[in-house]
């Protein structure tokens, strides 16, 4: 039986090699026939300048956006000149669990891309073992009624299989996986930017609450002095019990409001701990009243927003992946070419398996190729193509919506900062006026010109005005962070501090 196989193989060897060569040439020719649509980034309406940037911002020339979301943003939070914030940002980037999860998703997408690229190469396997078979007489070029015995064949062979990239099926799959990987990296940068902004926002909110705590501590001390003074005057018969009761009520009310601020501060401290990857029990923040933020961020050109925003880059990469999958769905309508072959040894006995005369080779059907042409599937491929096109249309709409959202967020932040400047100036005037009214009311009360209720009203007005001024200062700091986040973590060519590590290095460390 071994000799018979060898004879057949030798007689057809030349024909098989020519067929294989012809199949390979055909595959190379058909590889160029990709049916994937040419990808073009959809056009979006980009204004010449931001509405809230004011006349001082030169509109400049509009230019098509070239995504640069992968460029290092630098440590943008260093513009606040706060060493504590710098330390918190470093801790968050090293330990935040959401960022670690995003990094793991990036590694998953890169592995999926590597798996897709593997289809460019042949698959080689090795096998060893016996098979029980009964060959037909026709397969051995024997008369029809020849009695063929059932035999056990031992085989030790290497198998090679390769799918020719007909009509770009493999290429489209690789393109889709590559776009998916790039989208995952953009989403990682989006999570990273959101984390950095959330840490800064929580930090400034915490410090603003510390300012309120400080205000309440001073106010409570003044209220206690007022109660002592009123008690003394009541004991001397200078004032009625009503004044004493009002003073005690105001002290108790102020203490209750101070506890409310403590509750807010505890919640803010816990939130910051989670961002740092710590349990609330393992993190405490010393009281540190807020210093007004004076940093100013140039908005730059609107077209640059499309380059730096990682969420926009992620939406654009989703479109590219959907476009590639349209080509993948189209390729299912066309023939598929698989090239297979095997070479090794086979023998009826294990002892003769590795003899030179036991060598054999096998080529797939149709002289080394298996060309399959789909004919009917009940409309499945047509439905899959329609689904892929609809997915692309959805991603286009999502991309344009994300761009509009980005413009709105920048305009909102610019408007907040512009109006907060005016509001803070007006509130500072209100604080000064309230403090003057408090001084006058206390003087007039000592002289017996007004009752104690007027004094309480003026003191309450001072505390309210000071709290509002503190809250506005906190809102200004948070709005500055929000603007930086809306701009994609950077602006123009301004470099804020040392450049951070590239996203590839950061992902590798997660």
């Amino acid at each position: 039986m071994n000799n018979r196989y060898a004879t057949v193989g030798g007689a057809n060897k030349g024909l098989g090699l020519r067929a294989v060569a012809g199949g390979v040439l055909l595959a190379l020719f058909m590889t160029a026939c990709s049916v994937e649509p040419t990808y073009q980034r959809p056009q979006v309406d980009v204004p010449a300048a931001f509405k809230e940037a004011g006349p001082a911002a030169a509109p400049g020339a509009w230019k098509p956006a070239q995504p640069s979301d992968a460029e290092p943003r630098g440590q943008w939070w260093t513009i606040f000149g706060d060493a504590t914030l710098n330390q918190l940002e470093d801790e968050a980037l090293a330990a935040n669990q959401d960022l670690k999860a995003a990094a793991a998703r990036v590694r998953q997408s890169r592995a999926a891309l590597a798996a897709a690229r593997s289809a460019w190469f042949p698959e080689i396997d090795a096998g060893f073992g016996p098979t029980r078979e009964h060959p037909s007489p026709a397969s051995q070029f024997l008369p029809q009624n020849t009695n063929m015995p059932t035999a056990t064949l031992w085989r030790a062979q290497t198998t090679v299989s390769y799918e020719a990239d007909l009509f770009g099926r493999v290429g489209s799959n690789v393109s889709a996986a590559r776009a998916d990987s790039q989208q995952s990296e953009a989403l990682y940068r989006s999570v990273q930017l959101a984390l950095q902004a959330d840490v800064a926002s929580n930090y400034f909110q915490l410090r603003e609450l510390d300012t309120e705590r400080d205000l309440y501590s001073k106010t409570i001390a003044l209220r206690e002095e007022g109660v002592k003074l009123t008690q003394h005057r009541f004991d001397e018969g200078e004032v009625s019990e009503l004044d004493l009761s009002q003073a005690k009520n105001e002290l108790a009310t102020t203490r209750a409001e101070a506890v409310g601020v403590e509750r807010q501060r505890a919640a803010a401290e816990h939130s910051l701990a989670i961002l740092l990857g710590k349990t609330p029990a393992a993190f405490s923040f010393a009281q540190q009243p807020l210093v007004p933020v004076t940093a100013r961020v140039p908005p730059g050109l609107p077209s640059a927003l499309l380059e730096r925003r990682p969420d926009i880059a992620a939406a654009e990469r989703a479109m590219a992946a959907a476009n590639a999958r349209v080509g993948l769905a189209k390729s299912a309508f066309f023939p598929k070419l698989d090239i297979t072959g095997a070479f090794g040894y086979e023998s009826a006995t294990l002892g003769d398996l590795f003899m030179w005369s036991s060598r054999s080779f096998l080529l797939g059907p149709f002289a080394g190729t298996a060309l399959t042409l789909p004919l009917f599937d009940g409309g499945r491929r047509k439905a899959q193509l329609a689904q892929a096109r609809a997915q692309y249309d959805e991603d286009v709409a999502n991309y344009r919506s994300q761009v509009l959202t980005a413009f709105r967020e920048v305009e909102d932040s610019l408007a907040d900062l512009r109006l907060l400047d005016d509001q803070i100036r007006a509130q500072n005037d209100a604080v000064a006026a309230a403090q003057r009214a408090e001084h006058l009311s206390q003087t007039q009360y000592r002289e017996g010109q007004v009752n104690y209720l007027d004094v309480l009203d003026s003191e309450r007005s001072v505390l309210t005005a000071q709290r509002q001024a503190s809250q506005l200062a906190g809102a200004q700091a948070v709005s500055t962070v929000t603007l930086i986040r809306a701009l994609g973590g950077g602006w123009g060519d301004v470099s804020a501090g040392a450049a951070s590590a590239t996203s590839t290095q950061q992902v590798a460390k997660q």
Side-chain angles (χ1 to χ4, degrees):
M1 184 177 292
N2 292 334
N3 293 333
R4 186 158 55 243
Y5 271 93
T7 302
V8 173
N12 292 279
K13 185 175 181 180
L15 175 61
L17 292 176
R18 289 193 296 270
V20 170
V24 171
L25 292 176
L26 176 62
L28 293 175
F29 171 75
M30 298 301 290
T31 299
C33 302
S34 175
V35 294
E36 179 181 332
T38 302
Y39 174 69
Q40 292 182 343
R41 188 176 297 108
Q43 295 294 325
V44 293
D45 294 330
V46 180
F50 288 110
K51 177 182 178 181
E52 291 290 340
W62 184 89
K63 61 186 180 69
Q66 299 297 325
S68 59
D69 60 289
E71 294 297 324
R73 273 103 171 113
Q75 297 174 335
W76 54 262
W77 52 89
T78 58
I79 67 170
F80 298 108
D82 192 317
T84 303
L85 176 59
N86 297 344
Q87 179 181 353
L88 293 175
E89 291 286 359
D90 291 339
E91 292 179 9
L93 291 175
N96 182 264
Q97 297 305 308
D98 289 337
L99 190 61
K100 290 181 180 293
R105 289 192 292 271
V106 171
R107 294 195 297 272
Q108 293 175 40
S109 66
R110 290 176 179 174
L113 175 58
R117 284 174 172 168
S118 68
W120 290 117
F121 305 96
E123 183 177 339
I124 304 175
D125 299 308
F128 170 80
T131 59
R132 188 72 171 167
E133 64 180 41
H134 179 84
S136 67
S139 66
Q140 307 303 315
F141 299 95
L142 295 174
Q144 182 176 359
N145 296 325
T146 302
N147 183 23
M148 298 297 298
T150 301
T152 298
L153 284 182
W154 289 86
R155 287 190 176 92
Q157 62 184 18
T158 300
T159 304
V160 180
S161 60
Y162 176 72
E163 178 188 347
D165 191 14
L166 292 186
F167 303 99
R169 194 194 74 83
V170 176
S172 294
N173 191 41
V174 172
S175 297
R178 182 185 301 111
D180 285 340
S181 178
Q182 293 169 348
Q183 180 191 19
S184 181
E185 293 178 7
L187 291 174
Y188 169 82
R189 289 186 288 271
S190 184
V191 172
Q192 184 185 58
L193 176 59
L195 171 64
Q196 295 167 346
D198 287 344
V199 168
S201 296
N202 275 260
Y203 171 73
F204 287 127
Q205 290 171 353
L206 192 58
R207 291 191 59 181
E208 188 276 318
L209 290 170
D210 283 342
T211 301
E212 291 194 45
R213 281 179 58 179
D214 190 53
L215 288 174
Y216 271 105
S217 296
K218 295 177 180 177
T219 302
I220 289 173
L222 291 175
R223 296 284 191 272
E224 291 173 344
E225 290 296 326
V227 169
K228 292 179 181 179
L229 175 62
T230 306
Q231 181 71 53
H232 176 72
R233 297 188 65 185
F234 173 73
D235 293 340
E236 295 294 329
E238 297 179 3
V239 297
S240 66
E241 186 179 357
L242 176 62
D243 288 351
L244 180 60
S245 298
Q246 289 174 336
K248 290 182 177 179
N249 175 69
E250 191 66 19
L251 174 60
T253 300
T254 305
R255 284 173 174 169
E257 292 176 353
V259 174
V261 173
E262 290 288 347
R263 290 175 56 245
Q264 296 179 45
R265 188 190 186 280
E269 187 178 68
H270 299 164
S271 297
L272 184 57
I274 299 303
L275 291 174
L276 300 180
K278 301 178 180 179
T279 62
F283 175 75
S284 61
F285 184 80
Q287 181 170 342
Q288 188 177 358
L290 178 66
V291 177
V293 171
T294 58
R296 290 295 180 265
V297 181
L301 294 176
S303 59
L305 188 65
L306 306 183
E307 301 178 356
R308 300 194 61 86
R309 288 271 298 224
D311 54 345
I312 293 179
E316 188 273 333
R317 289 291 83 198
M319 283 190 303
N323 181 80
R325 290 191 171 95
V326 171
L328 189 61
K330 281 184 176 181
S331 66
F333 287 86
F334 297 92
K336 181 181 178 182
L337 178 64
D338 289 316
I339 303 174
T340 60
F343 175 81
Y345 298 88
E346 67 177 13
S347 174
T349 62
L350 183 59
D352 297 336
L353 180 60
F354 294 102
M355 295 179 64
W356 183 249
S357 60
S358 298
R359 68 189 186 280
S360 66
F361 75 91
L362 173 69
L363 296 178
F366 299 106
T369 66
L371 186 64
T372 58
L373 176 64
L375 297 176
F376 177 76
D377 60 4
R380 175 177 54 83
R381 284 167 294 138
K382 183 177 180 181
Q384 290 175 342
L385 178 58
Q387 181 183 10
R389 285 172 170 166
Q391 180 64 54
Y392 175 77
D393 293 340
E394 177 186 355
D395 289 334
V396 170
N398 289 338
Y399 170 75
R400 288 172 171 159
S401 176
Q402 192 66 47
V403 171
L404 293 175
T405 299
F407 288 142
R408 177 185 61 80
E409 290 175 352
V410 174
E411 297 285 8
D412 286 349
S413 298
L414 290 172
D416 281 346
L417 289 173
R418 176 177 62 83
L419 296 174
L420 277 171
D421 284 340
D422 297 337
Q423 193 174 3
I424 288 173
R425 283 193 293 269
Q427 189 61 38
N428 289 338
D429 293 340
V431 170
Q435 289 173 335
R436 176 61 178 168
E438 179 191 26
H439 175 72
L440 293 175
S441 66
Q442 290 177 346
T443 301
Q444 292 175 357
Y445 175 70
R446 293 188 183 95
E447 295 175 354
Q449 298 180 8
V450 297
N451 57 39
Y452 194 67
L453 184 60
D454 293 327
V455 176
L456 294 178
D457 286 340
S458 62
E459 290 178 345
R460 192 180 301 113
S461 297
V462 170
L463 177 59
T464 300
Q466 289 176 332
R467 283 194 67 189
Q468 290 177 347
S470 172
Q471 291 169 356
L472 289 175
Q476 185 183 50
V478 172
S479 293
T480 303
V481 173
T482 303
L483 175 59
I484 296 174
R485 177 177 179 176
L487 292 172
W491 47 91
D493 296 325
V494 178
S495 176
S500 63
T502 64
S503 62
T504 300
Q505 294 172 329
Q506 291 167 337
V507 168
K509 293 178 181 178
Q510 296 297 324

